[in-house]
C-alpha cells in the first residue's frame, strides 16, 4: 500500500505542476508561432500579422530556403567542425592547465594562476583584440579564428583547477610517482579518468559556447562560405532590418531578393530543428555530468 | 607487450593532437605584400593581391566573377583582387574596425552615410591628389572636375566619386487604382495628401492610410522638412537651414514651423492615420504597400518606387501605383552629391598606385565594368533591345543586376537598365529641369568637442521627441516644452552653437551664398 500523501505535499505538487505547465507553455508558444509563420504566405503575415493557425497556408518559405540548401548545410558543417575540434582541443588544454596549476610542487603556480585570473579583471578591449588577431596572428578569414580565441577560458581553467585539487589528494600523485609514473602518465592515467565529471561540465560549457558563437564570424570572417550557423541565421534576419532603416534615405537599391518574413521563420526552423531533435537523446548525459560535477566539485 | 601497446596508443593520440594544432596554426593567411619601391613608384613586375572591401552581402556567384576579373587583371596589371564583404548586419562596427586596425586594405567603399567626411577628416584615407595623375590618368579625366572638387575635404581628394547621376529625393507614393475608384485628389502637398488619406480612411476602413514603422523620424520628420520647410538636408540637433538661405542657421526646435509640423502629426494620429503602436512596427514601408496593408508612403525615392511597381506587377497586376516627386512642389531637385558613392584608399594600403590602376579599369574598361555590374553575359544576364534581362529568377540566378553592390563604379556609358527603369528615367528627366546642387552633403561635422552632449541629446530625443512626432502626446505645446527643457539640460545650446560655427566656416570655404 502506498503511503498516503499529506495535504501539504499534495498542495506543493499541484502548485509545482501548475508552474511547470505555465512555464512550458510559455516556452512552446513562441516556437509554435514560428512554425505557423513559416507555413504562412508572406503577404498574409504582413497584412494580418502572426497567427497560431496559418491564415494562408504556403510552403514558399521552405522552398526559398531549399533552393540553395548547400548554404545552410555548409554553415552547419562549419559549426559542427568548430564545436568538435574546439571542444576537444579546449578540454585537452584546460585539463592540462588545471592539473599543472593544482600540483603543489609546481613552483610558479601562484604566479601563473594570478596571470590567468588577472585577465578576467582587465581586458584590452575590442580594437586591440581585433588588431592582435588579424594583424599579428594573421587569422582573418580562417577557421582557426573561430576556434582559437575560445580555447582557454580563465573561468573554466580555475574551475578545472579547483575540481582537480579538491577531488584528488596530493598523496595520490606521490604514490603514483613512487610506483614509477612520470608526470604525463599521472595526467593521463590518474587525473583524466578521475575528473570525468569535471570534464563533462567544462566540455558542456565549451561546446555550448562554440555552438552559439556568432561574434567571431561577424568580426573576422568575410567569406560567406565560412559563416557559422548562428551568424548565418542572424545575418539573414538582420539584413531585412537594415533595408528598413537605411534604404529609403540612401537610395541603396538592393536588387537581390530579400528574405521575406516567412523565409526567415522557415530558416529558423531548419536551423534549430535538428538540434531540437537531437537534444532529447543527449540530454541525459548533460544532466548526469552537471549533477556529478555539482555534488563532488 | 600491453605496456608498449598502450604507450603507442598514447603517443599516437598526442601526435594527433599536435598535428591538429599545427594544422590550425598553419591556416593563418599571408598578410599584405607591397610592391611599392622606396621612392614611392609602383613596381609592376611584382605581383600583388589587392584587398577590396565592400558593404553588404556577397552575391552567390562572386567566386566565378572574381576568377574572371583576376584573369583580366593578371594580364593587364599583374595583380589579383580579393573582394571582401562586411554583411549588412554589423557593417558599421566592422567598418570602424577595418579602418582603425591598420589592416592592409587597398580599396574601401565610402558614402555620406558611412561617414566619409568624418573619416577623411580624421586621416583614415590616403589623399589622392598626387597619385591620380600618375597611377590613373584616364580615371582622373573620366570624372568631371566639379565632382573631384565636390568630394574634397580640407582641400584634398580622398575618394573616387561615382559619376552616375541619380536622385534620391522623396515623393508621394500612392495607390492610383483606389484614388480613381473613390475620386480622391492627387497628393502634391500636405493638404492634398491629407485629403487623399481622409478618403482612404472613409472608404477602406481596414486599410492603413499611410505606411509607417518604428523609424518615425525618418518616415515623417525627414520627409516633412524636405517637402515643407525646404531644408538643405536631414539636419540634426534641431538645427534649421533653408535651401534658399543656406548661410542663415536658425533654431528649428521650438519654432512655429515645428509646432505646425507636430500639430499635423497630432491631427493625423487623431484621425487614425498613425497607429498607436507605430513605434513597435518593424515591417518595411514598401512591404506594407505591396501586400495591400497600406495605401500610401509619405515619401520614397524614384528607384525604390520603381522596385515596388515591378513587384506589384507580378503579384497584383490589377493594382496601380503612382508617384509624385516632392521637388515638383518645392521647385528644386538635388541630384546625389558626389560623396554619395565612392571608393577610397585607406592609409594602410600597401599598394595604393596599383589599387587606383585597378579601379580605373573597373570604371573605364567595358569588360571589367560589365562583368562586375551584371555578371557573365549568357549565364547571368542577356541584352534584349538594349535592355537588361536577368536569366532565371532572383533566387536561382547567382548574380543579379548590380549584385556586387557596385553602385560606386557605375559607368553611365555602359549601364544597362531593366525595361521597367524607363519610368525612373522619366522622373529623373523631369527633375533634371529643376536641378540644383546638393549643399549639405559636403559638410563634415566634427563632434569631438560635444560628444557627451550629443549622446545625452539622442536619449532625450528618443524619449520625448519621438512620441510627439508619432502624435501620441495629447498636449503638443506642453510636450514640446518638456522636450525642449530636457534637451537644454542635455546641452543643446552648446551643440547648436558649435554646429553653427562649423557650418558657417563650411559655407565660407565653399563660397555658398
Amino acid at each position: 500500500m502506498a503511503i498516503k500523501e499529506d495535504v501539504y505535499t499534495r498542495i506543493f505538487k499541484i502548485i509545482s505542476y501548475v508552474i511547470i505547465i505555465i512555464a512550458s507553455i510559455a516556452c512552446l508558444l513562441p516556437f509554435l508561432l514560428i512554425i505557423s509563420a513559416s507555413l504562412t504566405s508572406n503577404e498574409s503575415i504582413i497584412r494580418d500579422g502572426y497567427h497560431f493557425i496559418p491564415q494562408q497556408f504556403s510552403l514558399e518559405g521552405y522552398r526559398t530556403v531549399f533552393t540553395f540548401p548547400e548554404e545552410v548545410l555548409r554553415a552547419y558543417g562549419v559549426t559542427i567542425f568548430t564545436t568538435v575540434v574546439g571542444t576537444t582541443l579546449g578540454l585537452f588544454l584546460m585539463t592540462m592547465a588545471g592539473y599543472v596549476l593544482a600540483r603543489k610542487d609546481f613552483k610558479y603556480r601562484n604566479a601563473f594562476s594570478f596571470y590567468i585570473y588577472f585577465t578576467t579583471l582587465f581586458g584590452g578591449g575590442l580594437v586591440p583584440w581585433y588588431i592582435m588577431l588579424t594583424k599579428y596572428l594573421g587569422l582573418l578569414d580562417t577557421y582557426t579564428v573561430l576556434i582559437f580565441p575560445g580555447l582557454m577560458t580563465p573561468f573554466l581553467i580555475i574551475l578545472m583547477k579547483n575540481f582537480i585539487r579538491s577531488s584528488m589528494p596530493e598523496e595520490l600523485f606521490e604514490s603514483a610517482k613512487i610506483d614509477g609514473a612520470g608526470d604525463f602518465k599521472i595526467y593521463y592515467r590518474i587525473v583524466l579518468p578521475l575528473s570525468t565529471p569535471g570534464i563533462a561540465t567544462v566540455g558542456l560549457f565549451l561546446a555550448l559556447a562554440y555552438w552559439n558563437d556568432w561574434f567571431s564570424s561577424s568580426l573576422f570572417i568575410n567569406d560567406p562560405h565560412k559563416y557559422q550557423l548562428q551568424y548565418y541565421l542572424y545575418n539573414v534576419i538582420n539584413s531585412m532590418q537594415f533595408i528598413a532603416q537605411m534604404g529609403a534615405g540612401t537610395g541603396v537599391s538592393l536588387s537581390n531578393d530579400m528574405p521575406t518574413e516567412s523565409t526567415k521563420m522557415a530558416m529558423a526552423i531548419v536551423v534549430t530543428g535538428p538540434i531540437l531533435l537531437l537534444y532529447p537523446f543527449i540530454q541525459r548525459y548533460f544532466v548526469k555530468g552537471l549533477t556529478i560535477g555539482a555534488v563532488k566539485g | 607487450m600491453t605496456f608498449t601497446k598502450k604507450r603507442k596508443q598514447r603517443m599516437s593520440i598526442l601526435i594527433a593532437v599536435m598535428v591538429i594544432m599545427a594544422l590550425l596554426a598553419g591556416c593563418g593567411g599571408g598578410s599584405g605584400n607591397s610592391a611599392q619601391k622606396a621612392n614611392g613608384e609602383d613596381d609592376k613586375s611584382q605581383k600583388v593581391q589587392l584587398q577590396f572591401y565592400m558593404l553588404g552581402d556577397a552575391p552567390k556567384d562572386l567566386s566565378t566573377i572574381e576568377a574572371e576579373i583576376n584573369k583580366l587583371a593578371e594580364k593587364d596589371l599583374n595583380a589579383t583582387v580579393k573582394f571582401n564583404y562586411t554583411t549588412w548586419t554589423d557593417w558599421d562596427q566592422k567598418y570602424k574596425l577595418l579602418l582603425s586596425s591598420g589592416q592592409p586594405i587597398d580599396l574601401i567603399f565610402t558614402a555620406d552615410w558611412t561617414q566619409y567626411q568624418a573619416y577623411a577628416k580624421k586621416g583614415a584615407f590616403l589623399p589622392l591628389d598626387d597619385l591620380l595623375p600618375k597611377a590613373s590618368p584616364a580615371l582622373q579625366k573620366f570624372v568631371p572636375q566639379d565632382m573631384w572638387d565636390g568630394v574634397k575635404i580640407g582641400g584634398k581628394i580622398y575618394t573616387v566619386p561615382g559619376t552616375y547621376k541619380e536622385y534620391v529625393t522623396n515623393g508621394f507614393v500612392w495607390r492610383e487604382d483606389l484614388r480613381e475608384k473613390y475620386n480622391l485628389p492627387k497628393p502634391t502637398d500636405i493638404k492634398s495628401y491629407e485629403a487623399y488619406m481622409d478618403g482612404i480612411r472613409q472608404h477602406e476602413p481596414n486599410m492603413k492610410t499611410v505606411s509607417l514603422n518604428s523609424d518615425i523620424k525618418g518616415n515623417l520628420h525627414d520627409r516633412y522638412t524636405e517637402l515643407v520647410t525646404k531644408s538643405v538636408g536631414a539636419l540634426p540637433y534641431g538645427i534649421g537651414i533653408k535651401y534658399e538661405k543656406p548661410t542663415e542657421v536658425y533654431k528649428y526646435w521650438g519654432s512655429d514651423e515645428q509646432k505646425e509640423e507636430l500639430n499635423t502629426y497630432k491631427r493625423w494620429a487623431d484621425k487614425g492615420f498613425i497607429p498607436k503602436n507605430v513605434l513597435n512596427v518593424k515591417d518595411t514601408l514598401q512591404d506594407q504597400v505591396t501586400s495591400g496593408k497600406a495605401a500610401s508612403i509619405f515619401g520614397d525615392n524614384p528607384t525604390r518606387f520603381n522596385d515596388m511597381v515591378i513587384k506589384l506587377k507580378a503579384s497584383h497586376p490589377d493594382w496601380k501605383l503612382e508617384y509624385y516627386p516632392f521637388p515638383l512642389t518645392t521647385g528644386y531637385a538635388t541630384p546625389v552629391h558626389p560623396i554619395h558613392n565612392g571608393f577610397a584608399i585607406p592609409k594602410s594600403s600597401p599598394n595604393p598606385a596599383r589599387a587606383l590602376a585597378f579601379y580605373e579599369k573597373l570604371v573605364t574598361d567595358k569588360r571589367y565594368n560589365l562583368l562586375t555590374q551584371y555578371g557573365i553575359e549568357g549565364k547571368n544576364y542577356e541584352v534584349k533591345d538594349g535592355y537588361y534581362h536577368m536569366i532565371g529568377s532572383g533566387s536561382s540566378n547567382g548574380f543579379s543586376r548590380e549584385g556586387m553592390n557596385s553602385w560606386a563604379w557605375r559607368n553611365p556609358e555602359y549601364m544597362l537598365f531593366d525595361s521597367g527603369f524607363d519610368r525612373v528615367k522619366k522622373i529623373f528627366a523631369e527633375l533634371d529641369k529643376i536641378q540644383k546642387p546638393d549643399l549639405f552633403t559636403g559638410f563634415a561635422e566634427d563632434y569631438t568637442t560635444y560628444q557627451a552632449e550629443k549622446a545625452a541629446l539622442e536619449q532625450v530625443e528618443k524619449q520625448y521627441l519621438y512620441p510627439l512626432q508619432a502624435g501620441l502626446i495629447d498636449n503638443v505645446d506642453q510636450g514640446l516644452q518638456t522636450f525642449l527643457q530636457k534637451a537644454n539640460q542635455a546641452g543643446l545650446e552648446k551643440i547648436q552653437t558649435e554646429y553653427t560655427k562649423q557650418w558657417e566656416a563650411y559655407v565660407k570655404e565653399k563660397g555658398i551664398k
Side-chain angles (χ1 to χ4, degrees), chain B residues 3-22:
Chain B
F3 180 70
T4 48
K5 201 177 166 191
K6 282 258 167 69
R7 194 188 183 109
K8 261 187 192 161
Q9 256 179 4
R10 199 190 326 156
M11 284 309 284
S12 57
I13 290 174
L14 257 177
I15 289 169
V17 170
M18 281 171 164
V19 166
I20 293 174
M21 284 176 69

Side-chain angles (χ1 to χ4, degrees), chain B residues 73-118:
Chain B
E74 218 170 333
K75 214 170 67 199
D76 296 339
L77 302 165
N78 199 20
T80 55
V81 60
K82 174 100 182 46
F83 293 107
N84 300 291
Y85 281 84
T86 61
T87 74
W88 288 127
T89 307
D90 292 313
W91 69 270
D92 41 358
Q93 187 187 28
K94 210 165 170 181
Y95 197 81
K96 196 161 54 183
L97 283 173
L98 287 173
L99 285 177
S100 59
S101 68
Q103 208 175 304
I105 298 165
D106 296 294
L107 285 160
I108 195 161
F109 178 77
T110 62
D112 47 347
W113 48 276
T114 67
Q115 271 102 50
Y116 158 74
Q117 300 97 313

Side-chain angles (χ1 to χ4, degrees), chain B residues 442-467:
Chain B
F443 173 64
E445 180 195 355
D446 176 12
Y447 52 75
T448 36
T449 52
Y450 51 86
Q451 204 157 14
E453 288 84 359
K454 179 176 153 54
L457 183 64
E458 270 162 20
Q459 277 311 311
V460 173
E461 268 185 75
K462 255 182 216 152
Q463 199 176 341
Y464 295 97
L465 185 62
Y466 285 15

Side-chain angles (χ1 to χ4, degrees), chain A residues 163 194 196-198 200-201 285-297:
Chain A
F163 178 81
L194 281 178
T196 32
T201 317
Y285 298 106
F286 285 170
V287 173
K288 217 191 230 166
L290 276 179
T291 44
I292 293 174
V295 173
K296 271 197 179 172

Side-chain angles (χ1 to χ4, degrees), chain A:
Chain A
M1 203 179 88
I3 301 164
K4 209 177 165 198
E5 289 171 349
D6 65 52
V7 189
Y8 292 111
T9 319
R10 240 192 285 163
I11 291 176
F12 174 77
K13 272 192 174 169
I14 290 171
I15 292 175
S16 45
Y17 278 132
V18 168
I19 290 177
I20 286 176
I21 288 171
I22 291 174
S24 47
I25 287 178
C27 291
L28 280 175
L29 282 188
F31 199 72
L32 270 180
L33 203 60
I34 295 181
I35 294 181
S36 139
S38 75
L39 293 169
T40 314
S41 89
N42 187 52
E43 265 192 25
S44 155
I45 294 181
I46 293 166
R47 214 176 38 240
D48 316 319
Y50 294 96
H51 288 274
F52 280 110
I53 295 154
Q55 304 273 301
Q56 248 179 320
F57 186 81
S58 151
L59 285 172
E60 197 53 48
Y62 288 95
R63 219 170 285 144
T64 321
V65 174
F66 283 109
T67 345
F68 290 100
E70 65 265 36
E71 287 197 358
V72 182
L73 290 180
R74 198 177 307 112
Y76 250 113
V78 173
T79 296
I80 291 172
F81 174 75
T82 51
T83 307
V84 170
V85 175
T87 312
T88 323
L89 267 181
L91 273 179
F92 173 71
L93 293 173
M94 281 198 281
T95 44
M96 287 275 253
Y99 166 56
V100 169
L101 292 176
R103 284 280 293 263
K104 286 214 173 65
D105 49 347
F106 176 45
K107 199 175 161 191
Y108 301 106
R109 70 196 165 96
N110 282 334
F112 272 97
S113 300
F114 178 74
Y115 176 70
I116 291 169
Y117 170 65
F118 190 74
T119 59
T120 61
L121 299 179
F122 295 97
L126 183 64
V127 174
W129 186 57
Y130 182 84
I131 293 177
M132 175 81 185
L133 283 171
T134 55
K135 214 173 161 190
Y136 294 101
L137 299 179
L139 294 183
L140 197 71
D141 246 350
T142 59
Y143 290 115
T144 319
V145 82
L146 300 179
I147 296 170
F148 181 66
L151 281 179
M152 302 275 270
T153 319
F155 169 72
L156 292 182
I157 296 174
I158 293 166
L159 193 85
M160 204 65 217
K161 181 189 93 175
N162 287 341
F163 178 81
I164 291 174
R165 193 156 60 188
S166 60
S167 63
M168 278 160 251
E170 191 69 16
E171 289 76 18
L172 192 64
F173 304 141
E174 265 168 36
S175 67
K177 234 177 200 167
I178 291 167
D179 286 345
D183 285 324
F184 274 108
K185 185 147 196 161
I186 296 175
Y187 165 73
Y188 186 65
R189 295 296 296 271
I190 296 176
V191 176
L192 277 191
L194 281 178
S195 51
T196 32
I199 290 178
T201 317
V202 171
L204 175 66
F205 277 127
L206 256 184
L208 280 181
Y210 276 113
W211 186 267
N212 290 331
D213 183 33
W214 58 271
F215 194 59
S216 331
S217 281
S218 126
L219 282 187
F220 301 111
I221 302 293
N222 293 319
D223 180 0
H225 294 175
K226 289 177 186 156
Y227 287 161
Q228 288 158 300
L229 187 64
Q230 308 293 346
Y231 185 66
Y232 180 79
L233 179 69
Y234 179 57
N235 189 34
V236 166
I237 290 174
N238 258 23
S239 44
M240 197 72 190
Q241 211 152 0
F242 163 80
I243 318 265
Q245 286 168 354
M246 297 283 297
T250 58
V252 168
S253 147
L254 293 135
S255 32
N256 316 24
D257 275 356
M258 285 321 293
T260 54
E261 291 295 315
S262 56
T263 315
K264 288 194 281 188
M265 296 305 157
M267 186 89 71
I269 297 292
V270 170
V271 164
T272 47
I275 260 309
L276 278 180
L277 295 181
L278 197 67
Y279 201 74
F281 298 103
I282 47 174
Q283 186 196 23
R284 58 200 181 104
Y285 298 106
F286 285 170
V287 173
K288 217 191 230 166
L290 276 179
T291 44
I292 293 174
V295 173
K296 271 197 179 172

